[in-house]
């Protein structure tokens, strides 16, 4: 039986990784890849990982509320979430990611992930939600076989060449951003503090109901869902910067929680861990990619 190394990646692919992986960095490689300025409203970043350890590497990705496109090369990469599982041999779309996803890179696996930003997935595919499926092949969404053809081109390219091919490939498919979405993104609102729906409705003269529907249509989640997530994400950031004994009441108040029990519920919701259990895992986590 192959050994399994388990840990937590926080946020989106490429943000945090295992401290324990340092001892294997000569044979397990990963990199967060920035995108050119002209694509910064489309992708937050790319992430690559190659496993040449001879062992299975298992990690957990917590919700980022982003939709991601995953390219797998070599042995199938295994994903599991909410009781559903799949193997990626080629290319798949996941998201928006609202629940933890466990994934395993077997020995020899080669992973490349594109992280869509804001409404970019809708601008490519004309929808922001993948229905009840855990994942979908992008060719199913476009009713073409172009991504299978792209995967074949990517397969034998080095990582920088892969990213450039994807960026060049995506240009013809990208629709202009709808004006209603521009109004939402221009607000640049802290969802956890301000109600962006009300702010955009007042600014544009639309009803709050219309703005709510557009938010769900283009982003794949409601402003209320995003507000809850941002409170949790802020708690994670505070804990990462914290040393010594944690004042949980202060953390809860700073992040806008009514009380500690609400904070605990969100940790269980997004991580399947209590806050104290998260602190134990955090000791095995280090910054890798910003």
């Amino acid at each position: 039986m192959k050994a399994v190394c388990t840990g937590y990646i926080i946020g989106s692919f490429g943000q945090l990784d295992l401290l324990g992986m340092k001892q294997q960095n000569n044979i397990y490689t990963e990199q967060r890849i920035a995108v050119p300025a002209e694509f910064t409203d489309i992708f937050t970043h790319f992430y690559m990982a190659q496993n040449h350890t001879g062992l299975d590497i298992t990690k957990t990705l917590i919700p980022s509320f982003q939709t991601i496109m995953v390219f797998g090369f070599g042995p199938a990469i295994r994903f599991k979430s909410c009781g559903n599982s799949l193997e990626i041999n080629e290319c798949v779309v996941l998201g928006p990611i609202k629940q933890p996803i466990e994934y395993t890179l077997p020995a020899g696996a080669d992973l490349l992930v594109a992280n869509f930003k804001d409404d970019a997935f809708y601008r490519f595919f004309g929808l922001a939600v993948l229905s009840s499926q855990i994942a979908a092949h992008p060719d199913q969404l476009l009713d073409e076989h172009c991504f299978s053809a792209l995967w074949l081109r990517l397969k034998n390219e080095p990582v920088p060449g892969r990213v450039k091919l994807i960026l060049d490939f995506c240009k013809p498919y990208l629709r202009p951003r709808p004006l209603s979405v521009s109004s939402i993104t221009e607000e640049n609102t802290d969802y956890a503090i301000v109600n962006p729906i009300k702010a955009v409705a007042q600014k544009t003269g639309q009803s709050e109901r219309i703005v709510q529907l557009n938010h769900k249509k283009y982003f794949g989640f409601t402003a209320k869902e995003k507000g809850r997530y941002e409170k949790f994400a802020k708690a994670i950031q505070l804990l990462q910067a914290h040393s010594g004994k944690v004042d949980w009441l202060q953390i809860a108040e700073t992040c806008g929680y009514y009380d500690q029990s609400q904070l605990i519920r969100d940790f269980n919701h997004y991580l399947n861990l209590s806050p104290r259990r998260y602190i134990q895992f955090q000791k095995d986590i280090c910054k890798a990619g910003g």
Side-chain angles (χ1 to χ4, degrees):
M1 180 179 292
K2 294 183 178 179
V4 177
C5 180
T6 304
Y8 284 86
I9 296 178
I10 305 303
S12 55
F13 277 101
Q15 286 192 295
L16 291 180
D17 200 8
L18 288 172
L19 181 62
M21 291 307 299
K22 283 185 176 180
Q23 63 187 3
Q24 298 178 345
N25 274 347
N26 60 325
I27 45 180
Y28 179 88
T29 58
E30 62 175 358
Q31 182 183 2
R32 178 188 172 108
I33 305 166
V35 298
E38 64 179 302
F39 291 96
T40 53
D41 65 335
I42 307 302
F43 301 105
T44 56
H45 64 284
F46 285 78
Y47 170 77
M48 63 75 61
Q50 296 174 336
N51 179 17
H52 300 297
T53 65
L55 308 173
D56 284 2
I57 303 295
T58 296
K59 301 185 179 182
T60 298
L61 175 72
I62 70 167
S64 63
F65 275 66
Q66 288 178 273
T67 298
I68 61 175
M69 184 176 295
V70 181
F71 294 90
F73 310 94
I77 300 169
R78 303 187 295 275
F79 281 74
K80 184 187 300 182
S81 180
C82 299
N84 298 309
S85 60
L86 75 155
E87 292 190 348
I88 297 176
N89 294 290
E90 188 179 280
C91 180
V92 75
V93 172
L94 301 165
I97 300 172
K98 302 177 184 180
Q99 294 294 320
I101 297 177
E102 181 183 280
Y103 66 101
T104 300
L105 280 72
D110 184 353
L111 172 76
L112 179 64
V113 181
N115 294 267
F116 289 99
K117 183 178 181 180
D118 295 335
D119 65 322
F121 185 76
Y122 180 90
R123 292 169 65 188
F124 277 115
F125 296 102
L127 76 167
V129 181
L130 298 178
S131 74
S132 60
Q133 300 180 77
I134 184 177
H137 193 292
D139 283 347
Q140 295 175 328
L141 305 179
L142 290 176
D143 198 24
E144 298 182 29
H145 295 290
C146 51
F147 278 93
S148 291
L150 174 64
W151 179 84
L152 289 173
R153 294 178 63 193
L154 296 173
K155 186 176 180 181
N156 297 317
E157 283 283 333
V159 172
R162 287 175 178 175
V163 172
K164 185 178 185 304
L165 277 173
I166 293 171
L167 295 176
D168 290 341
F169 171 84
C170 76
K171 290 179 180 179
Y173 291 93
L174 191 62
R175 300 173 177 87
R177 171 173 282 167
L179 291 177
S180 54
V181 177
S182 297
S183 299
I184 296 173
T185 56
E186 285 169 5
E187 285 297 314
N188 196 26
T189 300
D190 184 343
Y191 283 70
I193 300 174
V194 179
N195 180 353
I197 300 301
K198 185 175 182 178
V200 172
Q202 291 176 342
K203 179 179 178 179
T204 62
Q206 296 175 303
S207 70
E208 291 188 28
R209 176 61 176 165
I210 292 297
V211 178
Q212 287 173 340
L213 291 173
N214 282 334
H215 195 289
K216 177 74 172 181
K217 175 181 178 181
Y218 297 123
F219 291 89
F221 46 80
T222 66
K224 184 177 180 180
E225 287 179 304
K226 186 66 181 295
R228 179 183 181 183
Y229 167 75
E230 287 197 355
K231 286 195 294 186
F232 165 75
K234 187 174 182 179
I236 290 291
Q237 291 173 354
L238 290 175
L239 290 172
Q240 289 170 5
H242 192 83
S243 60
K245 186 177 180 180
V246 177
D247 185 338
W248 292 107
L249 181 59
Q250 182 61 49
I251 293 285
E253 290 179 351
T254 301
C255 298
Y257 287 103
Y258 294 118
D259 52 31
Q260 287 179 253
S261 63
Q262 191 182 31
L263 173 66
I264 292 170
R265 281 196 298 271
D266 272 5
F267 267 80
N268 286 323
H269 177 74
Y270 291 118
L271 274 178
N272 293 326
L273 291 171
S274 70
R276 295 186 188 281
R277 284 283 289 163
Y278 168 75
I279 290 294
Q280 293 176 355
F281 279 106
Q282 189 189 29
K283 294 176 182 178
D284 294 326
I285 299 174
C286 68
K287 191 78 171 174

